[in-house]
Amino acid sequence: MTENSEDLELAAKIIADGGLVAFPTETVYGLGANALDPDAVARIYEVKQRPSDNPSIVHISEKNQIEPLTVRVTTEMRILMDRFWPGPLTMIALSSDLVPTVTRGGQPTVGIRLPESRTARELIRKSGCPVAAPSANISGRPSPTTAQDVFDDLNGEIHAIIDGGPCSVGIESTVIDMTGDIPMILRPGIITKEDFEEALGREILTDPMLNVKPELSGVNCKKPKSPGQKYRHYAPKAKMIIFEGEPDDVRSAIDEERMEREVMGQKVKTLIFESDERKAARDFFAELREADRNHVDVILAAALPEKGIGFSVMNRMLKSAGYNIRKV
Ligand code: TXA
Ligand code: MG
């Protein structure tokens, strides 16, 4: 389907009738269903093969739609809504009874996001309901940033795909937990800790488990705060190695490894992002998907400095590679 208003009308009707529609957002493509219809949401989990304890984000098209979904909207939530919505921000809040348990993955909380994408907002508005939408990929696969990516994973399983071209952000929204005394980032994105601290005028927290190899960190033995964090994620079919060190050393180590492997007849892809972190975010999942389409055997990737958006891209890269790091 296209983004024209007749198509969106049709897609919205599918959602209102309990069906599943994949749609573009500025971050990644989402797989949408009526968030208040437990059967429709259960079907999302089925087709994504997603564990039922991993909650879905509820997408809205107007700020005031947050009210009925939560028991209270705090002052700091309002500040973040005003500053970053519409945009790639998901806020975790205490859920009202309106949101079915299956949508929340059994949590007492709900994740809410007002996307920037006009197509996404138009679709939600026309559907007349909040739209539950995880990324529109099979669980564990790289997130989809084009309609083709969605098609590759879910063809035949869903009712429609809206093609809105490639996503501009390329990594999923920042998830911030607003239920504690101090807000905490549960999933990093292009809205960073520094952005939140500037908006709120105080320091906030980052989940200490982020970007740490699970079995190496004592803290990781605890139950993860964001259920999505405990599953293997974003994995390409190719083996992946991350090279860490001084940029020049990393380049020559990757070159050497590439040549050795090519001599052995392997198909190698190198992934070296220059200092443009936004571009790295935009292209990361697309590169993994391209590697899979080209039947690449191994991806050799250069680590990014883990600050700002670089931290967020590294969050995805580390998981894709199964924390397979080579220090050079
Ligand atoms: O950019 C995005 O957020 C995309 C687009 C489609 O909007 N959606 C997305 O959804 O990435 P998903 O389901 O792939 O990732 C949602 C993440 C998961 O890690 C999940 O565990 C976390 O958000 N999450 C959702 N609700 C939560 C809750 N109530 N408490 C803690 N974590 C939650
Ligand atoms: Mg996902």
Side-chain angles (χ1 to χ4, degrees):
M1 282 194 183
T2 72
E3 295 177 286
N4 75 30
S5 65
E6 294 92 84
D7 279 8
L8 291 186
E9 203 79 57
L10 215 65
K13 186 157 185 325
I14 295 174
I15 289 180
D17 290 347
L20 305 189
V21 175
F23 63 96
T25 79
E26 69 278 16
T27 57
V28 301
Y29 276 69
L31 179 56
N34 179 351
L36 307 183
D37 177 344
D39 294 335
V41 177
R43 184 77 192 125
I44 294 183
Y45 284 80
E46 228 175 277
V47 306
K48 268 186 65 81
Q49 300 164 32
R50 179 180 175 104
S52 61
D53 66 348
N54 190 4
S56 292
I57 294 171
V58 176
H59 296 67
I60 56 179
S61 57
E62 320 292 331
K63 286 181 188 168
N64 62 16
Q65 283 182 293
I66 192 177
E67 316 275 351
L69 301 173
T70 61
V71 292
R72 96 181 140 260
V73 181
T74 64
T75 312
E76 287 199 320
M77 282 167 70
R78 289 218 185 271
I79 293 173
L80 297 188
M81 282 163 64
D82 287 340
R83 180 69 177 268
F84 300 112
W85 276 0
L89 165 67
T90 298
M91 286 196 290
I92 307 295
L94 279 177
S95 180
S96 73
D97 292 337
L98 186 67
V99 186
T101 316
V102 50
T103 306
R104 301 187 240 144
Q107 300 285 320
T109 53
V110 58
I112 307 168
R113 159 158 140 80
L114 173 52
E116 164 116 63
S117 156
R118 290 188 54 188
T119 299
R121 272 185 285 151
E122 200 55 20
L123 174 70
I124 300 163
R125 198 180 57 75
K126 289 182 194 288
S127 302
C129 59
V131 172
S135 48
N137 54 317
I138 300 280
S139 261
R141 297 263 304 131
S143 292
T145 56
T146 64
Q148 182 68 47
D149 296 344
V150 178
F151 184 87
D152 289 348
D153 277 19
L154 301 176
N155 178 33
E157 300 287 335
I158 62 181
H159 299 97
I161 303 173
I162 299 169
D163 189 347
C167 301
S168 59
V169 172
I171 57 172
E172 307 88 341
S173 61
T174 306
V175 176
I176 186 167
D177 182 356
M178 299 302 290
T179 63
D181 290 337
I182 306 175
M184 184 190 280
I185 294 178
L186 303 185
R187 181 176 70 183
I190 65 155
I191 300 176
T192 62
K193 181 169 189 278
E194 293 70 32
D195 295 329
F196 289 123
E197 290 180 342
E198 209 232 314
L200 295 175
R202 65 160 170 158
E203 278 188 32
I204 64 152
L205 303 170
T206 300
D207 185 339
M209 287 163 45
L210 294 180
N211 295 21
V212 182
K213 187 172 178 167
E215 61 267 30
L216 281 185
S217 76
V219 283
N220 270 332
C221 300
K222 288 191 202 145
K223 204 165 147 243
K225 293 185 186 64
S226 181
Q229 296 294 329
K230 77 178 172 202
Y231 302 106
R232 182 154 172 263
H233 249 112
Y234 315 130
K237 292 177 187 127
K239 174 189 166 82
M240 194 165 163
I241 308 172
I242 300 174
F243 289 74
E244 227 175 55
E246 291 302 319
D248 286 346
D249 299 342
V250 163
R251 263 172 204 285
S252 35
I254 286 181
D255 256 1
E256 202 173 305
E257 182 77 20
R258 178 176 56 77
M259 285 188 287
E260 273 175 27
R261 286 179 178 268
E262 281 176 351
V263 166
M264 298 189 304
Q266 293 187 7
K267 192 155 184 192
V268 182
K269 181 182 178 70
T270 59
L271 205 54
I272 304 174
F273 294 109
E274 304 301 336
S275 50
D276 188 346
E277 298 169 323
R278 281 204 177 235
K279 188 169 179 302
R282 194 191 65 202
D283 295 344
F284 181 67
F285 286 130
E287 294 279 9
L288 298 192
R289 292 252 173 192
E290 192 195 272
D292 280 353
R293 282 187 197 113
N294 295 333
H295 306 288
V296 163
D297 299 300
V298 59
I299 301 171
L300 308 175
L304 273 69
E306 288 189 53
K307 54 181 179 8
I309 297 171
F311 181 82
S312 311
V313 177
M314 282 307 289
N315 176 263
R316 279 45 173 204
M317 195 187 281
L318 287 162
K319 287 183 190 177
S320 317
Y323 299 87
N324 187 12
I325 302 168
R326 188 171 309 167
K327 294 208 192 306
V328 296

